[in-house]
Amino acid sequence: MLIASVLSLKGGVGKTTVTLGLASAAQHRGVDTLLVDLDPQMNATTTVDPETAVGALGSGVDPAEDTADRRPHGSATIAEVLDDPRRKVVERAVRPSGWGDHLRVLPGSERVEAHNHPDPGSKHLARLALALSRVDPAPELVLIDCPPSLGQLTRSALVAADRAVLVTEPSLFAVTGVQRALEAVQQERTRGDLRLQPLGVVINRFRPRVSEHEYRLQELRDLFGPLVLSPVLADRSAVQQAQGAAVPIHSWPTAGAREIAHDFDALLDRLLRAGKIRRRG
């Protein structure tokens, strides 16, 4: 099982878009994948399974009475899993997505913000990794969509991960955001998690022939060298259209969608090679 955490410490750069693009590529290729939505905004859950997202917003039940053990099968979320990562709670939470047989989802919840402590202990940080080890059947690939902050949730994702995918855009604050994200990865490694490695930096929403974007892209390449991954992802309206329709980018019937789907295929190849997962199709 290869676990990849997708993160950015600057909001609005398309971190969830990259997570969903990789999930679409994996589903299209037939790689058994679990998408974990750690972001309290729940955008990934909303896209891969809108009905699940509506249920995850909460039923209005008193939280003191609303335990995962008392709920029907399939109604727990990542919040309940982090409350109590026992196998039966994980089984209640993981469910099929609306995208196809090869993609399951551990859905997000607004309640997960309660787990985003600024200075968590090691036992709390290990809960996500423990829960993922109890997913049955085990997926080949886990994609974790992190919130845009460095609290317990993102650190839990890094503790669980084999690879960190850092997302940015070619803007004024891109360099600072990437540096902070790389520092976060290195901090977890210095705490003893030597399995964790940065896969690299994904440049998102790039507009060719826009001088500011060209300048920032070159700046990122000069500073981070081979960590800047190819291909760079172009700013395509097809991405927003597919997400609005809650379908994979590989299923959206436009030339722009086909082009960026091809780019996500290439990024998935890079990720699978890191985990030595055999390419299919």
Side-chain angles (χ1 to χ4, degrees), residues 55-211:
L57 288 170
S59 60
V61 179
D62 184 344
E65 301 294 329
D66 189 23
T67 67
D69 284 348
R70 295 176 184 174
R71 292 182 182 187
H73 179 76
S75 60
T77 70
I78 187 62
E80 285 74 38
V81 167
L82 293 180
D83 286 338
D84 179 5
R86 286 180 296 166
R87 190 177 302 275
K88 64 180 178 180
V89 179
V90 174
E91 288 175 353
R92 290 177 186 271
V94 174
R95 66 200 70 180
S97 76
W99 279 13
D101 294 339
H102 297 292
L103 181 66
R104 289 173 287 166
V105 59
L106 205 173
S109 168
E110 292 177 333
R111 282 192 55 241
V112 79
E113 183 62 40
H115 288 275
N116 208 16
H117 305 295
D119 189 23
S122 58
K123 288 184 178 180
H124 287 90
L125 288 174
R127 284 185 177 180
L128 179 60
L130 179 61
L132 293 177
S133 73
R134 292 171 172 170
V135 175
D136 186 24
E140 295 174 276
L141 175 65
V142 177
L143 297 170
I144 306 176
D145 188 32
C146 301
S149 61
L150 189 59
Q152 179 180 332
L153 294 175
T154 297
R155 288 191 58 198
S156 295
L158 291 175
V159 167
D162 303 290
R163 295 292 182 270
V165 181
L166 314 178
V167 181
T168 190
E169 62 182 3
S171 67
L172 176 62
F173 303 106
V175 172
T176 301
V178 173
Q179 286 175 329
R180 290 180 58 225
L182 282 171
E183 288 169 2
V185 172
Q186 186 57 36
Q187 285 172 1
E188 294 306 326
R189 284 178 52 79
T190 58
R191 292 185 178 102
D193 187 4
L194 299 180
R195 181 189 63 179
L196 174 66
Q197 298 280 351
L199 182 75
V201 180
V202 175
I203 311 297
N204 191 36
R205 295 177 178 167
F206 178 71
R207 296 180 183 176
R209 297 179 295 279
V210 172
S211 58

Side-chain angles (χ1 to χ4, degrees), residues 209-249:
R209 297 179 295 279
V210 172
S211 58
E212 173 69 8
H213 284 207
E214 296 280 2
Y215 176 81
R216 298 300 172 188
L217 175 59
Q218 189 58 51
E219 182 181 34
L220 287 161
R221 283 175 168 163
D222 289 343
L223 286 169
F224 301 109
L227 277 178
V228 176
L229 298 175
S230 294
V232 172
L233 300 178
D235 189 8
R236 295 284 186 185
S237 59
V239 172
Q240 287 73 40
Q241 292 165 355
Q243 289 179 12
V247 300
I249 190 65

